[in-house]
Amino acid sequence: MTETLPPVGIDLFDVERLQLTEAVEPPLSPSDEAARDSVWNKAVQANPTLFDGPVVACGGLEWTGPRTARLSWVRVTYRHYALRRVPGATALPSLFVNVVQPTDDGRVLAARMSPSTAAPGRWQLPGGSVEPPQDGEALNELALVGQAARELVEEVGIDAAPETLRLWVVTRGENGSIGLTYLAPALPEAAVRACFTAAADAERARGREPELDGIALVRSPDELAGLSGPHADYLEPIVRRYAAAH
Protein backbone atom coordinates (compact mmCIF):
# COMPACT_ATOMS: atom_id res chain seq x y z
CA MET A 1 0.00 0.00 0.00
CA THR A 2 1.23 3.50 -0.78
CA GLU A 3 1.46 5.80 2.22
CA THR A 4 1.49 9.54 1.54
CA LEU A 5 4.13 11.51 3.42
CA PRO A 6 3.08 13.78 6.31
CA PRO A 7 1.95 17.39 5.74
CA VAL A 8 4.45 19.89 4.41
CA GLY A 9 6.86 21.45 6.89
CA ILE A 10 10.58 21.43 7.54
CA ASP A 11 10.58 17.66 7.72
CA LEU A 12 13.31 15.03 7.60
CA PHE A 13 12.63 11.56 6.26
CA ASP A 14 14.73 8.41 6.43
CA VAL A 15 14.86 7.15 2.85
CA GLU A 16 17.34 4.57 1.64
CA ARG A 17 15.92 3.88 -1.83
CA LEU A 18 14.32 6.13 -4.41
CA GLN A 19 12.15 5.06 -7.31
CA LEU A 20 12.08 7.80 -9.95
CA THR A 21 9.44 8.36 -12.61
CA GLU A 22 9.06 11.25 -15.04
CA ALA A 23 5.80 13.24 -15.11
CA VAL A 24 4.48 16.04 -17.31
CA GLU A 25 4.43 19.68 -16.26
CA PRO A 26 0.86 20.77 -15.42
CA PRO A 27 -0.61 23.12 -18.04
CA LEU A 28 -0.83 26.84 -17.30
CA SER A 29 -3.62 29.22 -18.17
CA PRO A 30 -2.57 32.03 -20.55
CA SER A 31 -2.97 34.58 -17.74
CA ASP A 32 -0.77 32.63 -15.32
CA GLU A 33 1.83 32.12 -18.03
CA ALA A 34 1.92 35.85 -18.80
CA ALA A 35 2.12 36.72 -15.09
CA ARG A 36 4.92 34.19 -14.59
CA ASP A 37 6.93 35.66 -17.45
CA SER A 38 6.41 39.19 -16.12
CA VAL A 39 7.70 38.21 -12.66
CA TRP A 40 10.67 36.42 -14.20
CA ASN A 41 11.61 39.31 -16.48
CA LYS A 42 11.58 41.73 -13.56
CA ALA A 43 13.78 39.37 -11.56
CA VAL A 44 16.29 39.20 -14.43
CA GLN A 45 16.34 42.99 -14.67
CA ALA A 46 17.22 43.12 -10.97
CA ASN A 47 19.81 40.35 -11.27
CA PRO A 48 21.08 39.84 -14.84
CA THR A 49 23.04 36.74 -13.78
CA LEU A 50 19.79 34.76 -13.49
CA PHE A 51 19.58 32.11 -16.20
CA ASP A 52 16.45 30.35 -17.41
CA GLY A 53 18.14 27.00 -17.80
CA PRO A 54 16.60 23.52 -17.63
CA VAL A 55 15.95 22.14 -14.17
CA VAL A 56 13.98 19.37 -12.49
CA ALA A 57 10.97 20.01 -10.26
CA CYS A 58 9.31 17.53 -7.93
CA GLY A 59 5.98 16.18 -9.13
CA GLY A 60 5.31 14.15 -5.98
CA LEU A 61 6.88 12.08 -3.22
CA GLU A 62 5.28 9.12 -1.48
CA TRP A 63 6.20 6.01 0.42
CA THR A 64 6.07 2.69 -1.40
CA GLY A 65 7.71 0.54 1.30
CA PRO A 66 9.96 0.70 4.36
CA ARG A 67 12.45 3.52 3.75
CA THR A 68 11.59 3.45 0.05
CA ALA A 69 9.97 6.40 -1.69
CA ARG A 70 8.65 7.07 -5.17
CA LEU A 71 9.66 10.47 -6.51
CA SER A 72 8.08 11.81 -9.67
CA TRP A 73 10.01 14.53 -11.47
CA VAL A 74 9.13 17.13 -14.07
CA ARG A 75 11.23 18.99 -16.63
CA VAL A 76 10.87 22.76 -16.20
CA THR A 77 13.10 25.83 -16.43
CA TYR A 78 13.98 28.21 -13.63
CA ARG A 79 11.28 30.68 -14.61
CA HIS A 80 8.72 28.09 -13.48
CA TYR A 81 9.40 29.09 -9.87
CA ALA A 82 8.29 32.66 -10.59
CA LEU A 83 4.79 31.16 -10.24
CA ARG A 84 5.33 31.31 -6.47
CA ARG A 85 4.79 35.06 -6.77
CA VAL A 86 1.71 34.84 -8.98
CA PRO A 87 -1.51 35.05 -6.89
CA GLY A 88 -3.65 31.96 -7.35
CA ALA A 89 -0.99 30.03 -9.31
CA THR A 90 0.81 26.94 -8.03
CA ALA A 91 4.45 26.16 -8.66
CA LEU A 92 5.82 22.66 -8.35
CA PRO A 93 8.24 22.09 -5.47
CA SER A 94 11.89 22.40 -6.40
CA LEU A 95 14.19 19.38 -6.21
CA PHE A 96 17.82 19.67 -5.14
CA VAL A 97 20.76 17.62 -3.95
CA ASN A 98 23.22 18.61 -1.26
CA VAL A 99 26.02 17.08 0.77
CA VAL A 100 26.87 16.91 4.45
CA GLN A 101 30.67 17.17 4.50
CA PRO A 102 31.91 16.40 8.02
CA THR A 103 35.35 16.92 9.47
CA ASP A 104 37.02 14.14 11.40
CA ASP A 105 36.36 15.97 14.68
CA GLY A 106 32.57 15.90 14.22
CA ARG A 107 31.82 19.27 12.64
CA VAL A 108 29.78 19.98 9.50
CA LEU A 109 30.68 22.32 6.65
CA ALA A 110 28.25 25.18 6.02
CA ALA A 111 28.82 27.44 3.02
CA ARG A 112 27.71 31.01 2.25
CA MET A 113 26.28 32.04 -1.12
CA SER A 114 28.03 34.85 -2.99
CA PRO A 115 26.38 38.26 -3.55
CA SER A 116 25.68 37.60 -7.26
CA THR A 117 23.66 34.42 -6.63
CA ALA A 118 19.90 34.07 -6.29
CA ALA A 119 20.26 33.83 -2.48
CA PRO A 120 23.09 36.20 -1.53
CA GLY A 121 24.59 35.65 1.91
CA ARG A 122 22.57 32.50 2.64
CA TRP A 123 24.25 29.72 4.61
CA GLN A 124 23.55 26.24 3.29
CA LEU A 125 25.13 22.91 2.42
CA PRO A 126 27.10 22.50 -0.82
CA GLY A 127 24.60 21.49 -3.48
CA GLY A 128 22.26 22.64 -6.17
CA SER A 129 19.15 22.04 -8.23
CA VAL A 130 18.76 18.70 -9.96
CA GLU A 131 19.41 18.86 -13.69
CA PRO A 132 17.35 16.88 -16.22
CA PRO A 133 19.08 13.98 -17.96
CA GLN A 134 20.56 14.33 -21.43
CA ASP A 135 19.01 12.48 -24.36
CA GLY A 136 19.42 8.73 -23.95
CA GLU A 137 20.26 9.01 -20.25
CA ALA A 138 18.10 8.32 -17.20
CA LEU A 139 17.47 10.22 -14.01
CA ASN A 140 18.02 7.53 -11.41
CA GLU A 141 19.76 7.04 -8.08
CA LEU A 142 23.16 6.79 -9.76
CA ALA A 143 22.61 10.05 -11.65
CA LEU A 144 21.48 11.86 -8.51
CA VAL A 145 24.48 10.84 -6.41
CA GLY A 146 26.67 11.80 -9.37
CA GLN A 147 25.14 15.28 -9.38
CA ALA A 148 25.71 15.58 -5.62
CA ALA A 149 29.38 14.64 -6.05
CA ARG A 150 29.76 17.16 -8.87
CA GLU A 151 28.27 19.96 -6.75
CA LEU A 152 30.70 19.12 -3.94
CA VAL A 153 33.77 19.36 -6.16
CA GLU A 154 32.58 22.40 -8.13
CA GLU A 155 31.56 24.45 -5.11
CA VAL A 156 34.07 23.49 -2.41
CA GLY A 157 36.74 21.59 -4.32
CA ILE A 158 36.26 18.28 -2.52
CA ASP A 159 36.53 15.46 -5.05
CA ALA A 160 34.54 12.62 -3.48
CA ALA A 161 33.81 9.57 -5.61
CA PRO A 162 30.03 9.13 -6.02
CA GLU A 163 30.20 5.63 -4.54
CA THR A 164 31.51 7.10 -1.27
CA LEU A 165 28.36 9.22 -0.82
CA ARG A 166 25.21 7.72 0.63
CA LEU A 167 21.69 9.07 0.75
CA TRP A 168 21.39 10.14 4.37
CA VAL A 169 18.08 11.98 4.65
CA VAL A 170 15.36 13.56 2.50
CA THR A 171 14.13 16.99 3.55
CA ARG A 172 10.95 18.88 2.74
CA GLY A 173 10.76 22.57 3.52
CA GLU A 174 9.69 25.95 2.21
CA ASN A 175 7.35 25.76 -0.79
CA GLY A 176 7.40 21.97 -0.35
CA SER A 177 10.91 21.87 -1.83
CA ILE A 178 12.50 18.42 -1.67
CA GLY A 179 16.18 18.00 -0.80
CA LEU A 180 18.17 14.80 -1.21
CA THR A 181 20.98 15.00 1.34
CA TYR A 182 24.04 12.79 0.94
CA LEU A 183 26.68 12.09 3.57
CA ALA A 184 30.34 12.27 2.54
CA PRO A 185 33.33 10.66 4.29
CA ALA A 186 34.88 12.80 7.02
CA LEU A 187 38.02 14.80 6.20
CA PRO A 188 40.56 16.73 8.30
CA GLU A 189 39.75 20.43 8.74
CA ALA A 190 42.94 21.47 6.96
CA ALA A 191 41.98 19.45 3.87
CA VAL A 192 38.46 20.95 3.77
CA ARG A 193 39.77 24.51 4.01
CA ALA A 194 42.53 23.92 1.46
CA CYS A 195 40.07 22.43 -1.04
CA PHE A 196 37.68 25.36 -0.68
CA THR A 197 40.42 27.95 -1.06
CA ALA A 198 41.79 26.24 -4.17
CA ALA A 199 38.34 25.99 -5.76
CA ALA A 200 37.55 29.66 -5.07
CA ASP A 201 40.95 30.79 -6.40
CA ALA A 202 40.46 28.73 -9.56
CA GLU A 203 37.10 30.41 -10.23
CA ARG A 204 38.57 33.89 -9.75
CA ALA A 205 41.47 32.99 -12.07
CA ARG A 206 38.85 32.27 -14.75
CA GLY A 207 37.35 35.72 -14.19
CA ARG A 208 34.26 34.38 -12.39
CA GLU A 209 32.95 35.04 -8.91
CA PRO A 210 32.76 31.79 -6.90
CA GLU A 211 29.22 30.65 -6.14
CA LEU A 212 30.23 30.34 -2.49
CA ASP A 213 32.29 33.05 -0.81
CA GLY A 214 32.87 31.54 2.65
CA ILE A 215 32.64 28.41 4.75
CA ALA A 216 32.20 27.62 8.43
CA LEU A 217 32.62 24.37 10.34
CA VAL A 218 29.93 23.95 12.99
CA ARG A 219 29.44 21.36 15.67
CA SER A 220 25.96 22.23 16.91
CA PRO A 221 22.86 24.31 16.17
CA ASP A 222 24.14 26.85 18.72
CA GLU A 223 27.30 27.39 16.69
CA LEU A 224 25.24 27.56 13.52
CA ALA A 225 23.09 30.29 15.05
CA GLY A 226 26.21 32.42 15.37
CA LEU A 227 26.55 32.71 11.58
CA SER A 228 25.11 36.06 10.50
CA GLY A 229 22.80 36.18 7.52
CA PRO A 230 19.93 34.00 6.30
CA HIS A 231 20.10 30.22 6.62
CA ALA A 232 18.57 27.58 4.36
CA ASP A 233 15.54 26.18 6.19
CA TYR A 234 16.94 22.64 6.23
CA LEU A 235 20.35 23.62 7.65
CA GLU A 236 19.56 23.69 11.37
CA PRO A 237 17.65 20.36 11.36
CA ILE A 238 20.47 18.72 9.41
CA VAL A 239 23.16 19.99 11.78
CA ARG A 240 21.06 18.94 14.77
CA ARG A 241 20.58 15.45 13.33
CA TYR A 242 24.27 15.01 12.59
CA ALA A 243 25.30 16.28 16.04
CA ALA A 244 22.87 13.88 17.73
CA ALA A 245 24.31 10.94 15.81
CA HIS A 246 27.93 11.86 16.53
Side-chain angles (χ1 to χ4, degrees):
M1 176 182 292
T2 296
E3 179 184 355
T4 302
L5 293 173
V8 169
I10 303 175
D11 301 317
L12 278 65
F13 305 109
D14 290 312
V15 177
E16 295 178 354
R17 287 199 56 209
L18 286 172
Q19 301 166 337
L20 290 112
T21 57
E22 185 172 4
V24 178
E25 181 180 3
L28 284 180
S29 68
S31 60
D32 282 351
E33 184 175 355
R36 177 205 63 189
D37 291 346
S38 176
V39 170
W40 173 257
N41 291 336
K42 289 178 182 177
V44 172
Q45 289 175 5
N47 183 358
T49 65
L50 294 178
F51 170 62
D52 191 26
V55 69
V56 166
C58 179
L61 182 67
E62 58 187 10
W63 295 116
T64 58
R67 299 197 175 200
T68 301
R70 178 186 295 119
L71 189 156
S72 64
W73 59 276
V74 179
R75 298 172 192 261
V76 297
T77 66
Y78 280 102
R79 78 171 56 220
H80 174 86
Y81 299 117
L83 287 170
R84 293 171 178 167
R85 298 176 59 188
V86 175
T90 300
L92 294 169
S94 58
L95 179 66
F96 60 92
V97 293
N98 55 25
V99 181
V100 172
Q101 176 58 67
T103 55
D104 51 14
D105 62 357
R107 290 177 290 169
V108 170
L109 182 151
R112 185 178 60 201
M113 298 285 280
S114 296
S116 63
T117 62
R122 185 177 69 188
W123 290 93
Q124 59 183 52
L125 298 177
S129 299
V130 173
E131 299 176 1
Q134 300 296 318
D135 291 343
E137 298 179 355
L139 185 62
N140 52 27
E141 289 180 291
L142 185 61
L144 289 170
V145 72
Q147 290 196 30
R150 187 174 70 245
E151 293 287 350
L152 188 63
V153 70
E154 289 180 352
E155 294 189 348
V156 296
I158 296 173
D159 191 4
E163 59 267 22
T164 67
L165 306 182
R166 68 176 177 90
L167 184 60
W168 188 58
V169 70
V170 174
T171 63
R172 182 170 55 184
E174 185 180 8
N175 299 310
S177 298
I178 299 297
L180 310 177
T181 300
Y182 295 83
L183 181 63
L187 293 172
E189 175 183 353
V192 171
R193 294 192 181 280
C195 287
F196 175 73
T197 298
D201 288 346
E203 281 295 281
R204 295 187 182 99
R206 298 183 184 102
R208 301 194 294 253
E209 181 181 17
E211 188 171 352
L212 304 174
D213 67 1
I215 62 171
L217 299 172
V218 296
R219 193 182 307 276
S220 68
D222 289 341
E223 291 184 9
L224 184 65
L227 301 179
S228 61
H231 293 192
D233 58 356
Y234 62 76
L235 188 55
E236 191 274 344
I238 288 289
V239 170
R240 183 179 300 279
R241 177 188 174 99
Y242 188 83
H246 298 81

